[in-house]
């Protein structure tokens, strides 16, 4: 299955997908393209090192967000992508884009949704004082971090955690969970029933 990974930042999740899926022929997953909205995203360097085609699509180069989305859509369709993976992609798509790729966009978020959605989940988690946080992988819908949840893993929050220490613990789980979920999607094991995502054993 050809997938696209969209990333704005350092791309440690992309790296996990390269190592555990793209470079494992038994995974059935090929990262056909990596797209970023930031020219300097280190994710682009990681993709190039792995020989994966990259594109930069910047919001400022388009008259509006529909035009930005359309450019990304053009690349995805040209690369015959079947699944879109958001991995630290810091732009929201318009509803028309989500409708076009319904149930074919997956995102990862560093909290146990529906707790702490939005752009600052880790500081929000620490500020609230919860004892448990984690990782959520979900299908993207028209809401913000609101679509059907595919998988979650918890991590403890310690009294002396700061953003760096908590994020480090979360990243360890992200890098295991994201490849596992995508492998299952590619194997046809995920079924969406209303808000629930069922995992069928193959
Ligand atoms: C991850 O923590 C992910 O949960 C969030 O953005 C971060 C991306 O990190 N959506 P990286 O660029 O993969 O290192």
């Amino acid at each position: 299955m050809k997938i696209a990974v969209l990333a704005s930042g350092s791309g440690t999740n992309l790296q996990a997908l390269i190592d555990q899926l793209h470079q494992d022929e038994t995974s059935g997953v090929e990262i056909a393209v990596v797209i970023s909205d930031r020219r300097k995203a280190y994710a682009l360097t990681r993709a190039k090192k792995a020989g994966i085609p990259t594109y930069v699509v910047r919001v400022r180069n388009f008259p509006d967000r529909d035009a930005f989305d359309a450019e990304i859509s053009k690349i995805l369709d040209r690369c015959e992508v079947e699944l879109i993976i958001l991995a630290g992609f810091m732009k929201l798509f318009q509803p028309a884009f989500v409708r076009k790729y319904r149930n074919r966009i997956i995102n990862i978020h560093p909290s146990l949704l529906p707790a702490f959605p939005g752009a600052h989940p880790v500081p929000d988690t620490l500020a609230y004082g919860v004892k448990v946080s984690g990782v959520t992988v979900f299908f993207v819908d028209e809401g913000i971090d609101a679509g059907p949840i595919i998988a979650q893993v918890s991590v403890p929050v310690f009294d002396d955690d700061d953003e760096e220490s908590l994020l480090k613990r979360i990243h360890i789980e992200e890098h295991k969970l994201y490849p596992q979920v995508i492998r299952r999607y590619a194997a046809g094991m995920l079924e969406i029933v209303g808000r629930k995502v069922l995992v069928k054993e193959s």
Side-chain angles (χ1 to χ4, degrees):
M1 172 178 285
K2 288 188 179 186
I3 71 169
V5 180
L6 276 58
S8 303
S10 93
T12 64
N13 279 283
L14 167 65
Q15 191 65 55
L17 302 179
I18 291 172
D19 296 343
Q20 296 176 49
L21 299 179
H22 186 72
Q23 288 174 347
D24 174 2
E25 281 174 13
T26 70
S27 72
V29 177
E30 175 197 342
I31 304 176
V33 63
V34 169
I35 303 171
S36 183
D37 59 318
R38 293 193 189 148
R39 279 184 306 186
K40 290 188 177 158
Y42 189 67
L44 294 168
T45 306
R46 295 181 192 271
K48 284 176 193 151
K49 280 186 185 164
I52 299 166
T54 61
Y55 289 86
V56 177
V57 183
R58 300 171 84 196
V59 167
R60 65 166 64 173
N61 292 339
F62 297 88
D64 55 39
R65 291 302 286 268
D66 283 318
F68 171 78
D69 288 3
E71 178 65 19
I72 291 184
S73 182
K74 205 163 77 184
I75 297 167
L76 296 172
D77 294 350
R78 201 190 306 136
C79 295
E80 299 177 336
V81 163
E82 291 168 71
L83 177 67
I84 302 159
I85 297 299
L86 309 184
F89 188 65
M90 298 306 286
K91 295 286 180 292
L92 294 172
F93 289 112
Q94 300 296 110
F97 184 96
V98 176
R99 276 196 297 275
K100 177 173 178 187
Y101 298 103
R102 171 83 61 206
N103 300 338
R104 291 198 288 139
I105 312 172
I106 294 180
N107 197 5
I108 189 164
H109 188 77
S111 77
L112 291 177
L113 291 171
F116 311 118
H120 311 288
V122 176
D124 291 349
T125 296
L126 291 169
Y128 200 94
V130 293
K131 306 292 187 193
V132 177
S133 186
V135 176
T136 304
V137 178
F138 61 99
F139 284 107
V140 172
D141 69 3
E142 286 85 346
I144 295 177
D145 300 327
I149 290 172
I150 306 169
Q152 291 184 304
V153 168
S154 62
V155 302
V157 182
F158 299 125
D159 292 345
D160 59 354
D161 265 334
D162 57 16
E163 276 183 45
E164 194 187 336
S165 62
L166 179 55
L167 198 54
K168 195 172 163 196
R169 203 172 304 122
I170 285 173
H171 266 147
I172 290 169
E173 297 306 325
E174 288 189 336
H175 300 162
K176 289 188 276 188
L177 188 65
Y178 220 5
Q180 185 195 78
V181 165
I182 296 163
R183 196 181 275 264
R184 287 178 170 174
Y185 181 101
M189 290 169 66
L190 303 186
E191 186 189 346
I192 307 180
V193 181
R195 270 209 62 89
K196 285 195 183 162
V197 180
L198 309 181
V199 182
K200 301 177 287 183
E201 290 305 322
S202 57

